[in-house]
Amino acid sequence: MGIVAGLDSSPDFTRIVVCDTDTGAVLRQGYAPHPVDNPESGRPSDIDPQAWLLSLGEAAGGGLLEGVQAIGVSAQQNALVPLDAQGNTVRPAMVGGDKRAQVAAADLVDALGGREAWAQAVGSVPQAAQSVTKLRWLAKSEPENARRTAILLQAHDWLVWQLLGRPVRRTTDRGGASGTGYWSAAIGGYRPELVELALGHQAMLPEVIGPSDAAGTTPEGLLISAGTGETMAAAFGLGLGLGDAVVSLGASGSVMAVHPEALVDQTGMITSLADATGMHLPVVTTLNAVRTLRGTAELLGVPDLESLSDLAMKSTPGSHGLVLLPYLEGERTPNLPHTAGTLAGLRRESMRPEHLARAAFEGMLCGLADALDVLRGRGVDVRRVFLLGQAAELAAVQSAAPSLFGAQVVVPQPADYAAIGAARQAAWALGVSQGALDPRTPPAWQGAAAQVLDPGDQLAVGQAVRQQFMSVREQTHPGAFRS
């Protein structure tokens, strides 16, 4: 069939991979950071979307896209681009989950009648990062800009529109739409009244096209696929299917799994996203993952996470009875926003650095196992767990995770999975347009190269450690998962 490109516009940079359409083999790569005015001031909350185009152009330099027949676009989620009636930006794009929108999120929850009402409406409860919350903030803080806002796009929608030459038709995909807070994965449609609730008036929303549909063709004849959010693109690039879950180890943690239907969760613990294939991606987040390890490393005076892992490996499963409930920033899963962490099981023989180091790893992983159990409790099949993030390479994580999760653990080799997923989407749309691929079946690319870890004979030991953690959690926060 030829070659296709996948473009991933993340919060900080653009990556492009050029792939063989049949195998997915990466043939060429490009990279460029987004230009920012003041790099020392940290990641901005507002950014001119032209910066995305500039880094895209730089990343594609040197003839990188020569011979490419189709492009797929993945981009950072939760980046809202408000446009006026002529298609010009009203203000810089609102990116990330900055804290200025937290009050707006609480306002919206109350305005619709509580968390349960939102879960029923769109499968998620408003968070600071979501587009619907940013609209509420805009209406309250910048009413003139809100009044001028007539069209709403996300980052990947805007990039696709620009690549196509700003046509009258504007498109998005199910995956990107499902993170806005005004599109329901359960009904597969927008809830425009929620836009009005947040912004104060209606706005034009992009057409949601199918996973294998083309958004259009550039004047040069290059096919552009639907595009999607980074999370969905990465899942597609990894080759996830039914029975697969992903545990992402950042400062906070997230657990998502592929499921055939949308989940409505009255507690708001599950965010019901759609994926890039026509399936669903229920997500459960925790506030405390690698920050638990970093805090413990500082407390113990060890220089880095590798040293903390080495120290933890000198202990044994169960950490000599030490249990760390890692709720250092409060917690979302379970919903304990105002709590703190707890260290239990202190005895003279357990008060050693290696046992506390091990308890930190076990506490982090047990917290993520609790999140996995929220999904399992709703009928989500979890047979394999893909473990992502730099901490996934640590020996203390790899030794404990399979038995604590009760599943095979897959640690993929680092790669640009979001860009690869975008390229795979482009190959799918190209194949369908040529009559070579089924619109319901994506191209079968090689899966991610990975290390596979099985619980083996450690399963019973891991489940005993989990039980020890759950007992302390239930004693400290009775009924936390039943409220």
Side-chain angles (χ1 to χ4, degrees), residues 154-441:
Q154 295 181 85
H156 78 83
D157 311 338
W158 188 84
L159 284 164
V160 165
W161 186 56
Q162 295 290 329
L163 290 171
L164 291 172
R166 296 165 61 104
V168 172
R169 181 190 189 218
R170 301 175 191 88
T171 62
T172 190
D173 86 306
R174 298 167 64 254
S178 66
T180 60
Y182 43 76
W183 187 88
S184 166
I187 66 169
Y190 285 115
R191 297 292 302 267
E193 74 277 15
L194 299 179
V195 173
E196 187 166 356
L197 178 71
L199 185 60
H201 60 85
Q202 291 290 350
M204 287 183 65
L205 302 170
E207 176 190 345
V208 181
I209 61 176
S212 62
D213 291 345
T217 306
T218 69
E220 299 77 30
L222 201 61
L223 182 142
I224 308 294
S225 62
T228 195
E230 268 190 322
T231 297
M232 299 80 191
F236 199 35
L238 282 164
L240 299 188
L242 291 173
D244 290 336
V246 173
V247 171
S248 293
L249 299 174
S252 54
S254 69
V255 175
M256 67 179 180
V258 180
H259 197 56
E261 59 192 37
L263 295 178
V264 175
D265 174 47
Q266 314 296 0
T267 68
M269 277 195 286
I270 298 174
T271 297
S272 192
L273 299 178
D275 79 347
T277 72
M279 303 285 272
H280 294 268
L281 278 178
V283 179
V284 180
T285 58
T286 70
L287 296 181
N288 302 278
V290 176
R291 65 165 40 101
T292 305
L293 305 182
R294 294 202 184 284
T296 307
E298 287 175 16
L299 181 66
L300 291 173
V302 297
D304 50 40
L305 296 188
E306 290 75 15
S307 303
L308 187 72
S309 173
D310 293 344
L311 188 59
M313 294 299 287
K314 295 177 181 174
S315 181
T316 52
S319 309
H320 273 242
L322 272 192
V323 175
L324 178 64
L325 301 185
Y327 307 149
L328 308 183
E329 296 282 325
E331 190 47 84
R332 270 190 69 182
T333 308
N335 187 27
L336 298 166
H338 306 300
T339 193
T342 301
L343 184 62
L346 284 169
R347 294 187 175 85
R348 179 63 192 89
E349 62 272 18
S350 66
M351 295 177 74
R352 296 184 59 84
E354 61 267 29
H355 302 324
L356 179 54
R358 177 102 191 182
F361 282 95
E362 290 178 345
M364 175 187 76
L365 293 169
C366 284
L368 290 160
D370 280 349
L372 269 173
D373 283 352
V374 170
L375 294 177
R376 285 176 168 135
R378 294 296 308 279
V380 177
D381 184 25
V382 177
R383 294 190 300 274
R384 290 195 303 177
V385 175
F386 285 71
L387 203 54
L388 303 184
Q390 286 185 324
E393 303 289 337
L394 298 174
V397 170
Q398 294 190 1
S399 69
S403 62
L404 293 177
F405 292 160
Q408 186 181 78
V409 168
V410 179
V411 184
Q413 287 182 5
D416 300 323
Y417 291 111
I420 292 168
R424 190 179 178 204
Q425 187 194 64
W428 192 8
L430 180 66
V432 169
S433 76
Q434 296 173 337
L437 288 178
D438 187 322
R440 295 160 300 181
T441 309

Side-chain angles (χ1 to χ4, degrees), residues 43-71:
R43 185 182 291 167
S45 300
D46 295 324
I47 188 166
D48 182 346
Q50 293 296 326
W52 307 333
L53 284 182
L54 289 169
S55 69
L56 192 169
E58 189 180 337
L64 184 78
L65 299 180
E66 193 173 323
V68 164
Q69 296 168 275
I71 294 178

